[in-house]
Amino acid sequence: MAGTKEILCSATADMFPSKSLLSNNFIHQQQNSFSPFTSSFNSCKRRVVQLRKVVAVAAAVPMQTLIELDSTKAIPEIPVQFTVTAQVTVKYDAKENMKEMVFNLLDSGANATQRGVFLQLVSTDVDPRTGGPKVSKEAVLDWSRDLHITADKVSHEVQFLVDANFGVPGAILVSNKNQEFYLESITIEGLVHFNCHSWVQPEKLHPDKRVFFSKKAFLPSETPAGLKVLRKEELRQLRGNGEGVRAVSDRIYDYDVYNDLGHPDKGTEHARPILGGQHRPYPRRCRTGRPSTKSDPRAEAPVNESLPMYVPRDEAFGDVKRQTVDAGSWKGMVNNFFPFLKDSSTNGEAITFSEINELYKENSCNESQQKESPKKASFPIKLNKMIKESTADAFRFDPPNIVSRDASCCLRDDEFGRLTLAGMNPLSIERLKVFPPVSKLDPSLYGPQESALREEHIIHHLDGMSVQRAMEKNKLFILDYHDTYLPFLNSINAHPDRKAYATRTILFLTQMGTLKPIAIELSLPPMNPYIPSKQVITPPVDATTCWQWQLAKAHVCSNDSGAHELIQHWLRTHACIEPFIIAAHRHLSVMHPIHKLLRPHMRYTMDINARARELLISAGGIIESLFSTKEVSMEITSFAYKNWRFDMETLPADLIRRGIAEPDPTEPHGLKLLIEDYPYANDGLLIWAAIEKLVRDFVTYYYPSAGHIQSDPELNAWYYEFINVGHADIRHESWWPRLSTPEDLVSILTTIIWIASAEHAALNFGQYHYGGYVPVRPSYMRRLVPNEHDPEYATFLADPEGYFVSSLPSLREMTFLMSVLDILSTHSPDEEYLGDTRDLSTWTGDPEIIEAFYRFSMDMRMVEKEIAKRNADPKLRNRCGAGVSPYELLVPSSKPGVTCRGVPNSVTI
């Protein structure tokens, strides 16, 4: 393979006076084959990778003929042909599947022409005889050569026969007459590389040939002439025709509404409204085409054995990711075993804090007091004790290492305030701009818009300031879930085991830079004109108000848990991002530089979203079972989507919108944070700036002017469809950013990458450590806060701790929730993180882009060092101090497992 190739005819090397003459002749021909598009590269100051290797010597042609051919560029009557060797790498996700496939192929070797895998090279040049793409003769993939069954990757050698004037290979056509296999890469003579990363389906399922392009990126206007038809044909195949039931082997990207969340054939209580349309606006999902249910022709039948979950084949989890999720499920089943038995035996009766602590491998009890003296314990007793303890740990949960579990098992005020800035949901806190707060809901439906909060409720907690003065000094902040929950409380509270309020919490910014809650408003729908529907709970002054304050904080945390999971997490980082992925595959060729830039940020997202529709957000699914919102869960997200704005999803815009920051050109990121120690914002701005810098370098390289943006049909079709089809229900909103200039594109791409990576990581990977101890962050409550007029008030006074614990979820549902949060917080071993440099080979031939990615990788390392420095700074009390956990959710790298850190490139879980 190194050096020259064998001569196809009888010519020998001594026929030529100089080997360099032949080499120069070949290179000269290759330069001519590049000539149609070399000029466009030079105009953008890009480098062209040219073949410098002598690949073959052809038939016995006199030297004079070669010299004439070199000078006249004439096509000889006798074609000059040579062999080109390629290395084809096939990856197998499961060893057993690989063995079965290989043995089947080896058994059928005698009939290779009927059952082989056929490949054809496609030149970047047009065939002058046909006017179409110039292709080589078919080559057969020989599965028996260079085979290593024990490896998950296998390289095979393939030889192509091409004409001497073939030009540079720009694509490969693949026809598969066997079973499905995963094509990872193809390398031609070590010079031209194809990153395929795709499942290739049997011809009997998908008769069209697959096309794979080389790694070189091309804007549509720069596409080599020989590849233009294939570029358009590939996109046509990915779009499909919008008809039929999608098979698991399909690679078709299309849109549909969320009409697959209910099970109406099981009864009306299992029906769920369709999300998407005028009445319930929603982003679009990937179309599956499953048939309608019998009882509702508008609803799509749920997933079953005959109609499995569909995502385009290349979007599905890899084997490592699948195994990680399955292992988490098994771990959850083991951990739930004893709590399930205990809860069943007690019929869900009241539990104690000690029973909750026993769920973990470590508990708050002083274990040293429980140990027997070694002198008194005999060997059999000690052995039995060791076995018992080791067995018990196998059925216990790892303790969350973020929230301290003290003897009271309740959330302290300082921890409550800190977690709004450096917890699982740091996106809800806002600066208080109007006092008393005012609702935006229709008063004819939901009662008076005025809040019950008054100055006398908070005046004693403002360090001597009036409310107005405290607001002017940016000292008052609010967690406001009033309008989010109030329209749905009647449905929620109709369930005997669900009780919720629409809460507002006022927080004061102390001189130490921490937040403390100073008043909580609890609202219910107005039912009786003689009974107030709103009450205000303030910090305690005695034992009774202490427990009422703890219950009020627990209800706020329950509100926050639902808003975090449904709105901030699912809606903003999962549902709203899927349309951009669908549109990208439908309109951006894999050759397009923007597709190459965005590809790492689309990985696994469609698969996890499809699994969520099946298991998490469906009727009777995990969200409805474990959160207060029950069957109205997804309606709440539709209600929130009406206020979603893509232009407000940039980190700077989001901070300004919430009143947490003000524009200030003198600050490092052009923003002045009004809460200086706000870990999510402080660390997030570092990553935002690095992403923006990378994207700006990238866009400037490919789009030096507005004209280049406006003349790119694929780019404009992608963005148009993202808005007008993917977000069809809000497509007419005036706030949608324009795409006219390079700076517009920088903002759009930076926002997408930010949402898919850092914003999702901040909301997702801390779920177990921040929410895994249920008493401090319950996902729902079973009792309201009692007052002296309630029948349960006497019970509350007699046993306030028992009342509090009985308000929490049952032991069985606690462990179920903890298992789910553990799975959602887990990094799989195949995770790809911001700043990884594993795929820089994608940009072969674009050294400026490779340099930009290396700079970005270095920026991510600097971010890690800066975060570590901040977490060690005692002046930053929201991330450093006695018992205060460091904020690491935006540290870019992570090991596998539940680490509470790491920023993957995409929404993968």
Side-chain angles (χ1 to χ4, degrees):
M1 292 173 58
T4 60
K5 293 299 175 185
E6 62 178 345
I7 302 173
L8 297 182
C9 299
S10 60
T12 59
D14 59 3
M15 293 174 57
F16 302 95
S18 170
K19 183 184 295 185
S20 62
L21 176 62
L22 178 60
S23 301
N24 292 335
N25 182 40
F26 175 76
I27 294 172
H28 187 64
Q29 291 184 26
Q30 296 309 309
Q31 290 171 336
N32 287 333
S33 69
F34 273 101
S35 60
F37 48 94
T38 301
S39 60
S40 63
F41 285 171
N42 292 334
S43 66
C44 295
K45 298 183 180 180
R46 283 179 249 165
R47 303 175 187 171
V48 178
V49 176
Q50 298 185 9
L51 301 177
R52 297 183 179 179
K53 186 175 181 181
V54 179
V55 183
V57 179
V61 181
M63 177 53 60
Q64 184 61 34
T65 303
L66 289 176
I67 296 174
E68 291 176 0
L69 179 61
D70 184 54
S71 60
T72 64
K73 315 301 185 295
I75 300 176
E77 295 182 1
I78 303 175
V80 180
Q81 294 185 321
F82 57 90
T83 57
V84 176
T85 302
Q87 290 294 321
V88 179
T89 301
V90 180
K91 182 179 179 181
Y92 301 92
D93 278 346
K95 187 185 297 183
E96 292 305 318
N97 291 342
M98 178 198 68
K99 289 180 179 179
E100 179 183 356
M101 174 183 176
V102 170
F103 291 144
N104 288 340
L105 290 169
L106 292 178
D107 290 341
S108 62
N111 199 21
T113 56
Q114 284 77 33
R115 297 198 59 188
V117 175
F118 300 89
L119 303 96
Q120 284 180 286
L121 290 180
V122 182
S123 172
T124 54
D125 295 340
V126 171
D127 190 332
R129 294 166 296 182
T130 65
K134 185 186 295 185
V135 298
S136 71
K137 294 182 179 180
E138 285 188 337
V140 180
L141 182 62
D142 186 354
W143 297 95
S144 64
R145 298 184 65 177
D146 301 327
L147 183 62
H148 303 283
I149 293 179
T150 58
D152 65 344
K153 296 181 183 179
V154 181
S155 293
H156 306 275
E157 185 176 291
V158 176
Q159 291 189 337
F160 297 94
L161 186 64
V162 299
D163 294 340
N165 62 352
F166 182 79
V168 176
I172 290 181
L173 300 176
V174 180
S175 178
N176 179 18
K177 298 182 184 296
N178 286 296
Q179 65 185 47
E180 176 191 68
F181 68 95
Y182 187 84
L183 183 58
E184 181 169 278
S185 65
I186 301 174
T187 302
I188 309 295
E189 291 289 340
L191 296 172
V192 183
H193 304 274
F194 299 79
N195 280 346
C196 304
H197 297 295
S198 180
W199 291 95
V200 180
Q201 302 302 324
E203 192 178 76
K204 61 185 178 181
L205 295 179
H206 297 276
D208 292 331
K209 291 183 179 181
R210 288 293 308 278
V211 57
F212 296 96
F213 298 102
S214 68
K215 289 193 286 189
K216 182 66 180 175
F218 293 105
L219 293 172
S221 61
E222 299 171 345
T223 307
L227 305 181
K228 289 183 177 180
V229 173
L230 292 176
R231 182 170 185 150
K232 293 180 179 179
E233 175 61 20
E234 184 221 16
L235 289 174
R236 184 196 65 78
Q237 292 181 13
L238 292 173
R239 286 194 286 266
N241 59 11
E243 299 177 356
V245 179
R246 298 274 68 85
V248 292
S249 61
D250 286 346
R251 297 173 56 249
I252 295 177
Y253 298 79
D254 205 354
Y255 301 92
D256 207 343
V257 295
Y258 280 69
N259 61 349
D260 61 340
L261 302 180
H263 308 286
D265 290 345
K266 291 184 177 180
T268 55
E269 68 274 16
H270 298 281
R272 295 294 179 269
I274 295 172
L275 303 182
Q278 181 179 359
H279 299 293
R280 293 182 179 88
Y282 218 66
R284 297 302 188 258
R285 63 171 176 92
C286 181
R287 179 185 178 276
T288 67
R290 293 195 299 270
S292 301
T293 60
K294 296 178 181 178
S295 54
D296 186 353
R298 301 172 303 162
E300 187 173 273
V303 169
N304 55 52
E305 291 184 1
S306 61
L307 293 171
M309 178 189 73
Y310 170 74
V311 293
R313 185 65 181 94
D314 292 335
E315 305 299 321
F317 282 175
D319 197 55
V320 173
K321 181 70 172 181
R322 216 164 32 241
Q323 290 173 357
T324 302
V325 174
D326 291 344
S329 300
W330 279 104
K331 177 183 175 183
M333 290 175 61
V334 171
N335 290 340
N336 275 273
F337 181 68
F338 282 134
F340 176 82
L341 294 178
K342 185 170 186 176
D343 193 69
S344 299
S345 64
T346 59
N347 294 319
E349 294 177 3
I351 55 177
T352 64
F353 281 130
S354 62
E355 289 177 305
I356 296 173
N357 287 331
E358 287 174 0
L359 298 173
Y360 304 91
K361 292 179 181 178
E362 298 176 5
N363 57 51
S364 58
C365 299
N366 187 352
E367 295 181 359
S368 63
Q369 296 178 357
Q370 299 177 0
K371 294 181 179 179
E372 296 185 28
S373 170
K375 296 181 179 180
K376 296 182 180 180
S378 64
F379 177 76
I381 294 177
K382 286 191 282 186
L383 180 62
N384 288 335
K385 186 174 184 293
M386 291 171 59
I387 295 174
K388 182 179 179 181
E389 289 177 350
S390 62
T391 305
D393 267 0
F395 293 91
R396 290 181 176 180
F397 289 85
D398 293 322
N401 60 13
I402 300 298
V403 179
S404 301
R405 291 179 285 119
D406 55 26
S408 70
C409 295
C410 294
L411 187 62
R412 303 192 311 267
D413 285 1
D414 61 318
E415 190 79 350
F416 180 99
R418 188 180 73 84
L419 293 178
T420 64
L421 303 172
M424 186 161 65
N425 179 22
L427 273 70
S428 291
I429 188 71
E430 298 183 5
R431 180 166 57 85
L432 184 65
K433 302 172 184 176
V434 177
F435 188 86
V438 178
S439 171
K440 297 179 181 178
L441 298 174
D442 185 346
S444 65
L445 297 175
Y446 305 110
Q449 295 177 317
E450 294 76 19
S451 168
L453 286 161
R454 294 294 181 266
E455 186 164 355
E456 57 265 25
H457 291 129
I458 63 175
I459 189 66
H460 301 295
H461 304 280
L462 303 183
D463 290 352
M465 291 181 283
S466 66
V467 173
Q468 185 61 34
R469 180 59 177 162
M471 292 174 62
E472 291 173 356
K473 291 178 67 67
N474 301 318
K475 291 289 187 178
L476 290 176
F477 295 83
I478 186 170
L479 279 178
D480 192 347
Y481 294 122
H482 180 275
D483 289 5
T484 301
Y485 278 89
L486 192 65
F488 305 97
L489 285 183
N490 284 333
S491 297
I492 294 171
N493 291 334
H495 295 273
D497 62 341
R498 294 290 193 280
K499 293 295 177 282
Y501 295 99
T503 66
R504 289 189 180 106
T505 305
I506 307 297
L507 301 102
F508 179 72
L509 182 63
T510 69
Q511 294 180 359
M512 296 183 295
T514 60
L515 290 176
K516 68 174 183 180
I518 58 176
I520 297 173
E521 180 186 43
L522 306 173
S523 298
L524 293 169
M527 304 292 290
N528 188 328
Y530 302 102
I531 300 178
S533 61
K534 302 178 181 181
Q535 60 176 314
V536 176
I537 308 292
T538 55
V541 295
D542 55 28
T544 300
T545 55
C546 176
W547 282 105
Q548 289 176 324
W549 179 244
Q550 295 296 345
L551 282 165
K553 286 191 296 182
H555 273 279
V556 175
C557 290
S558 174
N559 271 190
D560 190 70
S561 293
H564 160 264
E565 203 67 71
L566 291 169
I567 300 173
Q568 314 291 21
H569 184 197
W570 164 256
L571 177 66
R572 292 177 64 176
T573 68
H574 282 260
C576 287
I577 213 72
E578 185 165 342
F580 120 74
I581 298 175
I582 299 173
H585 285 288
R586 287 168 58 87
H587 292 287
L588 294 177
S589 167
V590 293
M591 305 170 71
H592 200 292
I594 302 302
H595 186 285
K596 290 179 177 289
L597 173 68
L598 293 176
R599 180 166 182 166
H601 306 289
M602 302 188 286
R603 183 174 185 248
Y604 290 161
T605 302
M606 294 183 70
D607 191 304
I608 194 60
N609 283 5
R611 291 171 186 264
R613 296 199 309 273
E614 180 185 357
L615 301 173
L616 264 70
I617 62 175
S618 58
I622 291 172
I623 296 296
E624 292 190 3
S625 300
L626 297 179
F627 289 82
S628 63
T629 47
K630 294 293 280 187
E631 74 277 2
V632 298
S633 296
M634 295 308 291
E635 290 187 74
I636 288 177
T637 64
S638 174
F639 192 72
Y641 179 62
K642 297 175 183 178
N643 297 317
W644 178 84
R645 290 180 53 165
F646 181 74
D647 63 328
M648 292 290 106
E649 288 299 302
T650 73
L651 178 59
D654 176 60
L655 295 172
I656 293 171
R657 176 186 62 82
R658 292 190 281 123
I660 303 295
E662 296 175 341
D664 187 343
T666 65
E667 293 292 324
H669 303 287
L671 289 177
K672 178 184 178 182
L673 290 175
L674 302 183
I675 303 176
E676 294 183 5
D677 182 15
Y678 183 1
Y680 164 76
N682 295 129
D683 298 353
L685 285 169
L686 295 177
I687 295 180
W688 171 270
I691 295 173
E692 187 177 46
K693 177 184 174 184
L694 169 67
V695 173
R696 180 167 286 109
D697 289 344
F698 189 94
V699 170
T700 302
Y701 179 71
Y702 286 102
Y703 297 96
S705 69
H708 288 80
I709 297 284
Q710 296 160 14
S711 62
D712 187 336
E714 290 183 8
L715 180 70
N716 286 279
W718 162 68
Y719 189 58
Y720 177 88
E721 188 172 279
F722 169 55
I723 297 172
N724 289 276
V725 182
H727 290 277
D729 302 328
I730 56 174
R731 63 187 183 278
H732 297 305
E733 297 292 342
S734 60
W735 47 255
W736 280 105
R738 293 171 57 95
L739 179 54
S740 300
T741 67
E743 197 59 31
D744 294 338
L745 183 58
V746 169
S747 177
I748 292 167
L749 295 176
T750 305
T751 303
I752 289 172
I753 295 173
W754 163 259
I755 295 171
S757 58
E759 183 174 319
H760 176 261
L763 292 165
N764 182 78
F765 292 103
Q767 291 192 77
Y768 181 75
H769 283 307
Y770 286 113
Y773 190 65
V774 180
V776 302
R777 190 177 174 82
S779 58
Y780 69 86
M781 297 289 284
R782 294 193 286 179
R783 285 181 160 182
L784 297 173
V785 179
N787 59 51
E788 55 192 20
H789 303 293
D790 293 330
E792 293 185 323
Y793 191 67
T795 303
F796 164 72
L797 291 178
D799 184 11
E801 181 177 313
Y803 188 95
F804 182 92
V805 175
S806 67
S807 299
L808 301 175
S810 67
L811 201 65
R812 180 194 310 181
E813 294 195 340
M814 277 189 189
T815 56
F816 187 19
L817 173 66
M818 289 152 58
S819 298
V820 171
L821 296 181
D822 184 87
I823 293 172
L824 296 179
S825 303
T826 300
H827 290 294
S828 65
D830 67 341
E831 201 85 87
E832 298 176 1
Y833 299 94
L834 275 185
D836 279 351
T837 57
R838 283 178 285 180
D839 290 332
L840 289 188
S841 60
T842 300
W843 305 101
T844 298
D846 293 311
E848 292 88 344
I849 298 301
I850 293 176
E851 291 173 7
F853 275 104
Y854 269 117
R855 288 194 297 269
F856 179 70
S857 181
M858 294 301 102
D859 287 342
M860 291 301 99
R861 295 184 185 183
M862 294 301 296
V863 167
E864 292 203 10
K865 292 181 179 180
E866 179 62 25
I867 291 176
K869 179 181 176 182
R870 291 172 176 179
N871 285 332
D873 187 347
K875 293 183 292 185
L876 303 178
R877 291 178 170 83
N878 289 318
R879 63 196 309 160
C880 181
V884 175
S885 59
Y887 185 75
E888 296 183 313
L889 282 173
L890 291 177
V891 173
S893 67
S894 175
K895 296 179 180 179
V898 182
T899 63
C900 205
R901 59 178 283 168
V903 182
N905 283 322
S906 60
V907 179
T908 61
I909 190 68

